[in-house]
Amino acid sequence: MAQAVSSRMALARYLLLRFVLIIPTVFILVTVVFFFMRIIGDPITASLGGRLPPDEIWARKEAAGYNDPILVQYGRYLWGILHGDFGRTTDNQAVSTILINYGPATAELVFWGLIVALAVGIPLGRLAARKYNKGADIAIRSFAVLFYAAPVFFVALLLKLVFSIWLGWLPVSGRASPRIQTLLESGVQTNTHVYILNALQYGEWWVIQDVLLHAILPGLALGLLTAGVFIRLIRINLLQTMRADYVTAARARGVPEKKVVSKHAFRNALIPVVTVMGMEIALMLGGAILTETTFEWQGLGYWLSQYLLKRDFVAVQGITTAIAVLIAVASFLIDAINALVDPRVRY
Amino acid sequence: MSTLALDTADFGNVLQPASPKGKFRLPGVALIQTTHGLQRVMLLTGIVIVAIFLIVAICAPWLAPYGFAQIFQPQQAMSTTHPLGTTVGGFDVLSRIIYGARTAVEVILLAVALSIVVGVPLGVISGYLAGWLDRVLVLVMDALYAFPSLLMAIVVSIMINQGRSGGFTGILSAAVAITVIFVPQYFRVTRNATMAAKVEPYVDAARVAGAKSPRIMFGHILPNVSQSIPVLMTLNAAESILTLAGLGFLGFGIEPNSAAEWGYDLNKARSDIANGIWWTAVFPGAAIVLIVVGVTLIGESLNDVLNPLLRTRGGTTTADEQELVEVVETSEEASQTNEETSQEEDES
């Protein structure tokens, strides 16, 4: 009893500490991004410089507060972020609106990618470990290295070439067909901006089907990138746990090998995957920028690349900062899940 | 995780097999000798691929049929005059690929050199002095490491040249952008190695003999912790190629007239894909995949051979796993008999 209480205390303390650590992480990233992007110049000169007369630019800078000392601007920026204000783009859109409208699209893509990564990574990793150093193992590992080495946008282009252009099976780009997209954006009661949820709300199969068909290629491109990591991880952890004493003990008791792998070794080999998933989120968000750009999947990454081309650095800074917050929170959640599942983490 | 976990391994014996100063043995030879079987095949394959790319990069002007900025009639199919066709911008695909190897090598060398110059001393100072400086640095480096590398590269490239780049500044800005991503890794590895090294007797001896902190750090500790760097270098080289290509793909890399860059070519090939023109995308992409595979193979092999701590984390055959083979194989045999017996039981 007393032990249970102290263990719960330890968990609470761990979670609290871990939560408090989010603050310096986000603060450091926001600061670094802010100063990196402002060292050279202000966003207005960057986007409009040369296209407007100098005094006009000066007036705009004055209005937006870019003529103030950099530290004042920094303080104002931090204050704004605390209130959920990430600045305004040069076409006078609130960055926070962009985040709300397109953030869910990115989350949806990462979700599909994660499903592909788990669906491909776990069985293949398991197979590779069971067929250790045989043909299947070597083939699977080569596959993992190949997908690690292939840039996600190249894989995306190839998938598009084969399945959309040559075979014509799947849509070339976008999150849904234009007609269905308007339906999904305006025809549902609560617009979650996550198309699959909207489609489920709408409840018609042809709408759901359209959304799913559009998600296959982007999900595959992003998922295969991550699957390579999962394959290696599962394989190596399974090999390790297969050596553990309790597995040997299970074998000695005469438990069939299939059962040893599935019941005894495999579950424990999955624990590190949860940990690594936290770190993979950064990788997947980086990959999502490129995947979205390739498939014109209108999420944060797609708009980030659009604003980059327009040299709208307020938008870039806002989206970048938001992603930093997202990663810090996500990694906290993953650590929390990990601590709940695995008592060893808490101490 | 995998790269940060390099920590405090002792690489000394393999990299420089107890030879007196001045008599330097080619590190590769000793390295290949320590490998065997599949691992040696992987290492040699990697070395061959990287060697080919280095040769191509160095000899680009003689190997390429045309200049990288020379313009022809756009979107030509493959022919004898243009072996891999031409791009939508009218560039010769083969020439762009060959010159692209040169750009990639330049950026990697610059990025890796810069990250070592910045990251390693910081790591030594942080690890040796410890205290609040160490804590702050660790926190900052961890935060930077958690951030998507491509985003950080974008931010840095904006800082350096507002995203516009030509000639050497393009290569420099890509390299610096990549450097910012790698500094935390070098920092982490050297810091941890320094923490372990600073309690060694030779450091105490130096201190007793009256050596000052800077001398101890850079005269005594640095040479001893620097052995963990080659592995990280190869692993990073692979990542820097991908980052460079990613920057180029987003239109943030190097201008096409100042250097050939594969990521930029892939970006321009997007519209070709829609028209079924595949050669402008497939060949530069394949070049990226090939060089990254080559570098990764070397990195993984190095990792396994030089870092026994990582053996169980890496993906390649090691002595440690050799043991496992026996375990797994015997267990599989056992499982077959087990399954047979269980089937018999089911039948009965």
Side-chain angles (χ1 to χ4, degrees):
Chain A
M1 186 64 200
Q3 226 176 356
V5 171
S6 77
S7 154
R8 214 173 297 151
M9 286 283 286
L11 177 66
R13 206 182 51 205
Y14 172 81
L15 288 183
L16 189 71
L17 242 170
R18 187 61 193 74
F19 184 75
V20 171
L21 259 179
I22 292 181
I23 300 165
T25 309
V26 170
F27 173 76
I28 288 166
L29 284 178
V30 168
T31 307
V32 166
V33 170
F34 180 89
F35 284 103
F36 273 9
M37 298 199 56
R38 294 289 169 82
I39 281 177
I40 295 290
D42 64 279
I44 290 182
T45 319
S47 67
L48 300 171
R51 277 190 275 161
L52 289 175
D55 48 330
E56 172 93 359
I57 286 185
W58 193 87
R60 287 208 187 190
K61 275 166 70 176
E62 185 67 34
Y66 291 127
N67 287 338
D68 298 338
I70 188 95
L71 283 177
V72 175
Q73 292 183 42
Y74 173 61
R76 204 188 293 136
Y77 189 69
L78 280 186
W79 188 245
I81 287 176
L82 279 178
H83 294 79
D85 174 14
F86 289 88
R88 300 189 85 80
T89 65
T90 32
D91 48 7
N92 205 26
Q93 242 185 315
V95 174
S96 48
T97 322
I98 297 174
L99 296 178
I100 291 167
N101 286 343
Y102 300 110
T106 303
E108 195 181 357
L109 177 61
V110 170
F111 172 75
W112 294 126
L114 211 54
I115 286 187
V116 172
L118 293 175
V120 173
I122 291 179
L124 284 186
R126 193 174 154 162
L127 187 66
R130 287 203 59 181
K131 302 283 171 201
Y132 184 78
N133 253 9
K134 301 220 175 95
D137 182 28
I138 293 168
I140 290 171
R141 276 160 65 203
S142 314
F143 168 87
V145 170
L146 207 63
F147 275 99
Y148 166 75
V152 59
F153 50 89
F154 178 54
V155 175
L157 282 176
L158 286 185
L159 286 173
K160 205 163 148 172
L161 181 71
V162 174
F163 292 103
S164 308
I165 311 290
W166 284 350
L167 296 174
W169 290 349
L170 293 165
V172 180
S173 61
R175 295 174 66 196
S177 311
R179 197 163 56 93
I180 291 172
Q181 187 152 10
T182 35
L183 210 70
L184 287 171
E185 286 286 356
S186 52
V188 286
Q189 274 185 333
T190 45
N191 188 357
T192 55
H193 297 287
V194 179
Y195 278 11
I196 187 68
L197 292 182
N198 283 8
L200 287 173
Q201 272 185 71
Y202 199 80
E204 295 275 356
W205 169 243
W206 52 276
V207 177
I208 300 174
Q209 191 190 23
D210 186 70
V211 171
L212 287 179
L213 281 180
H214 277 84
I216 290 177
L217 290 185
L220 263 181
L222 190 56
L224 287 177
L225 168 80
T226 328
V229 182
F230 283 164
I231 290 175
R232 296 182 42 174
L233 201 70
I234 303 248
R235 174 179 173 275
I236 215 71
N237 276 305
L238 199 53
L239 284 177
Q240 255 179 321
T241 37
M242 294 284 270
R243 263 199 306 190
D245 289 341
Y246 68 91
V247 175
T248 316
R251 269 196 204 115
R253 289 204 310 274
V255 180
E257 183 66 17
K258 271 191 183 158
K259 211 170 169 188
V260 171
V261 174
S262 62
K263 286 258 159 113
H264 297 255
F266 185 58
R267 288 191 188 173
N268 279 307
L270 278 182
I271 293 177
V273 176
V274 181
T275 322
V276 170
M277 249 157 80
M279 280 170 279
E280 289 311 302
I281 284 187
L283 176 75
M284 290 193 87
L285 280 170
I289 298 172
L290 296 166
T291 312
E292 285 177 10
T293 311
T294 320
F295 286 106
E296 287 159 46
W297 179 280
Q298 301 208 354
L300 287 185
Y302 172 80
W303 286 106
L304 183 76
S305 66
Q306 294 300 306
Y307 284 117
L308 274 173
L309 292 180
K310 282 197 236 160
R311 316 223 167 267
D312 186 337
F313 295 148
V314 178
V316 173
Q317 191 179 344
I319 294 173
T320 311
T321 311
I323 290 177
V325 176
L326 216 75
I327 286 170
V329 173
S331 72
F332 162 72
L333 288 179
I334 300 268
D335 278 2
I337 292 172
N338 222 1
L340 289 172
V341 175
D342 186 354
R344 284 169 300 182
V345 177
R346 296 171 204 171
Y347 298 100
Chain B
M1 181 71 194
S2 57
T3 41
L4 281 188
L6 286 166
D7 290 3
T8 54
D10 177 23
F11 300 115
N13 306 334
V14 190
L15 264 193
Q16 270 162 321
S19 59
K21 247 189 181 173
K23 189 192 163 202
F24 182 72
R25 273 178 59 183
L26 200 65
V29 178
L31 187 75
I32 293 170
Q33 279 166 358
T34 59
T35 60
H36 49 76
L38 183 63
Q39 196 177 35
R40 182 175 284 184
V41 174
M42 285 172 58
L43 182 60
L44 288 177
T45 314
I47 290 175
V48 168
I49 294 176
V50 171
I52 290 174
F53 267 90
L54 282 177
I55 292 168
V56 168
I58 293 166
C59 308
W62 297 284
L63 290 174
Y66 308 101
F68 58 82
Q70 226 172 316
I71 291 174
F72 304 92
Q73 196 195 334
Q75 294 188 326
Q76 287 181 52
M78 290 179 280
S79 64
T80 44
T81 41
H82 298 285
L84 301 182
T86 57
T87 71
V88 67
F91 297 122
D92 179 60
V93 175
L94 179 62
S95 307
R96 295 281 296 179
I97 291 175
I98 290 173
Y99 275 101
R102 176 171 268 206
T103 311
V105 169
E106 280 169 354
V107 172
I108 294 167
L109 289 181
L110 208 56
V112 171
L114 280 174
S115 345
I116 292 175
V117 166
V118 179
V120 170
L122 269 182
V124 172
I125 292 170
S126 184
Y128 184 77
L129 297 181
W132 64 269
L133 176 78
D134 180 48
R135 289 190 186 182
V136 171
L137 276 175
V138 167
L139 206 60
V140 171
M141 294 294 173
D142 276 359
L144 289 182
Y145 183 71
F147 203 53
S149 46
L150 184 64
L151 268 185
M152 194 43 84
I154 290 171
V155 169
V156 174
S157 122
I158 290 175
M159 174 181 84
I160 292 173
N161 52 19
Q162 304 271 297
R164 293 179 181 87
S165 47
F168 182 68
T169 55
I171 290 172
L172 183 71
S173 80
V176 173
I178 295 166
T179 300
V180 175
I181 303 161
F182 291 156
V183 163
Q185 300 181 13
Y186 288 94
F187 168 82
R188 200 54 182 286
V189 170
T190 36
R191 174 188 170 268
N192 291 350
T194 306
M195 300 272 270
K198 76 175 180 184
V199 294
E200 296 277 332
Y202 70 87
V203 176
D204 285 336
R207 204 175 291 136
V208 170
K212 297 265 187 328
S213 286
R215 194 193 157 96
I216 295 177
M217 280 191 282
F218 297 104
H220 296 264
I221 293 181
L222 185 63
N224 283 292
V225 298
S226 56
Q227 281 136 349
S228 48
I229 292 166
V231 178
L232 199 50
M233 257 166 60
T234 48
L235 291 175
N236 280 352
E239 214 181 318
S240 62
I241 299 166
L242 292 175
T243 310
L244 175 69
L247 275 178
F249 185 74
L250 289 177
F252 250 58
I254 298 157
E255 297 283 320
N257 292 327
S258 47
E261 200 272 308
W262 299 325
Y264 173 90
D265 291 350
L266 276 171
N267 179 26
K268 292 297 157 199
R270 274 189 307 166
S271 55
D272 290 347
I273 286 277
N275 301 323
I277 297 174
W278 55 273
W279 53 88
T280 53
V282 169
F283 295 118
I288 299 175
V289 175
L290 199 62
I291 178 82
V292 176
V293 166
V295 176
T296 309
L297 286 179
I298 295 182
E300 296 268 311
S301 310
L302 272 181
N303 210 355
D304 272 352
V305 178
L306 301 184
N307 192 348
L309 288 180
L310 264 188
R311 273 183 189 161
T312 44
R313 295 189 191 218
T316 41
T317 325
T318 61
D320 219 333
E321 288 185 0
Q322 288 296 316
E323 259 176 57
L324 270 175
V325 179
E326 291 153 26
V327 178
V328 175
E329 274 172 1
T330 47
S331 70
E332 270 180 6
E333 281 161 24
S335 79
Q336 281 162 5
T337 49
N338 265 337
E339 276 163 24
E340 281 160 23
T341 48
S342 62
Q343 276 170 2
E344 280 164 24
E345 277 167 25
D346 289 342
E347 280 161 20
S348 63

